[in-house]
């Protein structure tokens, strides 16, 4: 799910059919292991289900049952009855599940005070991403909200990792990555704040202040808004040369 929708059996990519059939699979993957009522499944595939939604859904499910059948046991991963559908997955098969597990382990390492191990685990989690989540899903598709939510989860993990790089003093990695992130996401103030902190702690105070000026000019020019209180507070503390608290 962490990129274009993809299924592999013994390392070989599987043909998942057309976009609507892939939307059915994406909805099942987003609820893997949990029974999904057919009506709910339909609402996740169509904004306004047409009269043909029921028969079409049965067709898509029949095809997916065939595609996702274990060649040895001949059991399908798609378990369906008249009321609900469940997609069965095994531990470690779904990239999103692996991502979440690594992030939990990283959070645990951080709580135990091992920032370097936490950063390593976050690195492994982020390497699972192959592009935009559920890439190709149209913005008017109900599943687009799932893609947006996954994107925000990735951003939160990246931000935590960059924050820890700054904490442990790995300014070379933090500054380079954060500059690229700020360019790609100029209105995410947390990224600008982390970059300012990294530059300041790397004895590059003027550059840190310049980041604030550039961010503020952009926000006022494009949005008519001043930076938020956290970014203003960081700017003020750098001006006062006081980041002791």
């Amino acid at each position: 799910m962490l990129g274009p929708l993809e299924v592999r059996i013994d390392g070989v990519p599987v043909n998942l059919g057309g976009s609507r059939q892939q939307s059915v699979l994406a909805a099942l993957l987003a609820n893997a292991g949990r029974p999904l009522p057919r009506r709910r499944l339909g609402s996740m595939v169509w904004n306004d289900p047409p009269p043909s939604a029921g028969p079409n859904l049965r067709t898509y499910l029949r095809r997916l049952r065939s595609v996702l059948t274990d060649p040895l046991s001949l059991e399908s991963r798609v378990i369906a009855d008249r009321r609900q559908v469940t997609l069965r997955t095994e531990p470690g098969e779904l990239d999103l599940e692996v991502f979440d597990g690594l992030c939990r382990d990283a959070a645990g390492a951080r709580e135990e005070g091992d920032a370097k191990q936490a950063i390593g685990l976050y690195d492994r989690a982020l390497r699972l991403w192959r592009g935009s989540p559920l890439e190709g899903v149209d913005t008017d598709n109900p599943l687009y909200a799932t893609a947006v939510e996954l994107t925000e989860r990735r951003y939160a993990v990246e931000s935590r990792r960059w924050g820890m790089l700054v904490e442990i003093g790995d300014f070379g990695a933090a500054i380079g990555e954060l500059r690229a992130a700020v360019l790609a996401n100029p209105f995410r103030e947390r990224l600008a704040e982390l970059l300012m902190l990294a530059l300041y702690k790397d004895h590059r105070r003027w550059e840190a202040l310049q980041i604030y000026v550039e961010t503020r000019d952009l926000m006022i020019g494009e949005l008519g808004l001043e930076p938020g209180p956290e970014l203003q507070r960081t700017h003020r503390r750098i001006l006062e040369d006081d980041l002791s608290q």
Side-chain angles (χ1 to χ4, degrees), residues 42-114:
S43 69
M44 294 178 71
V45 176
W46 290 276
N47 266 320
D48 184 17
S52 61
N56 287 345
L57 183 58
R58 287 194 291 273
T59 298
Y60 298 141
L61 287 171
R62 185 175 65 252
R63 292 173 179 170
L64 287 172
R65 280 178 57 84
S66 176
V67 167
L68 300 178
T69 293
D70 189 306
L72 296 178
S73 68
L74 299 182
E75 292 183 1
S76 178
R77 297 298 186 92
V78 180
I79 304 166
D81 59 30
R82 296 181 61 183
R83 298 179 58 188
Q84 60 192 21
V85 185
T86 305
L87 178 66
R88 179 175 59 84
T89 60
E90 298 295 334
E93 287 185 327
L94 185 60
D95 56 2
L96 177 58
E97 178 186 284
V98 177
F99 173 80
D100 287 340
L102 287 168
C103 290
R104 285 192 297 270
D105 291 345
R110 182 70 181 94
E111 288 178 4
E112 293 174 3
D114 194 341

Side-chain angles (χ1 to χ4, degrees), residues 187 189 212-213 215-232 235:
F187 297 111
E189 295 181 43
Y212 180 82
V213 171
T215 302
R216 181 176 182 272
D217 287 349
L218 180 66
M219 293 187 66
I220 292 176
E222 296 291 329
L223 305 176
L225 297 173
E226 288 281 350
E230 287 299 318
L231 191 59
Q232 291 190 41
H235 174 245

Side-chain angles (χ1 to χ4, degrees), residues 12 20 29 55-57 77 132 151 157 200 205 207:
V12 179
R20 193 69 70 179
L29 285 169
N56 287 345
L57 183 58
R77 297 298 186 92
S132 300
T151 298
V157 168
Y200 174 81
R205 186 176 178 223
E207 291 179 68

Side-chain angles (χ1 to χ4, degrees), residues 99 103 106 118-119 121-123 125-129 131 150-166 173-174 177-178 180-182 184-185 188 190-191 194:
F99 173 80
C103 290
I119 290 169
L121 288 165
Y122 280 136
D123 282 338
L126 291 167
R127 281 197 294 270
L128 294 171
W129 287 75
L150 290 175
T151 298
E152 289 302 313
R153 283 165 65 178
R154 178 184 185 177
Y155 164 71
V157 168
E158 289 174 328
S159 295
R160 285 195 291 272
R161 176 182 167 277
W162 284 320
M164 285 188 288
L165 285 174
V166 175
E177 294 178 24
L178 281 165
V182 168
N185 305 275
R188 289 193 183 268
R190 176 57 177 163
L191 299 180
L194 285 171

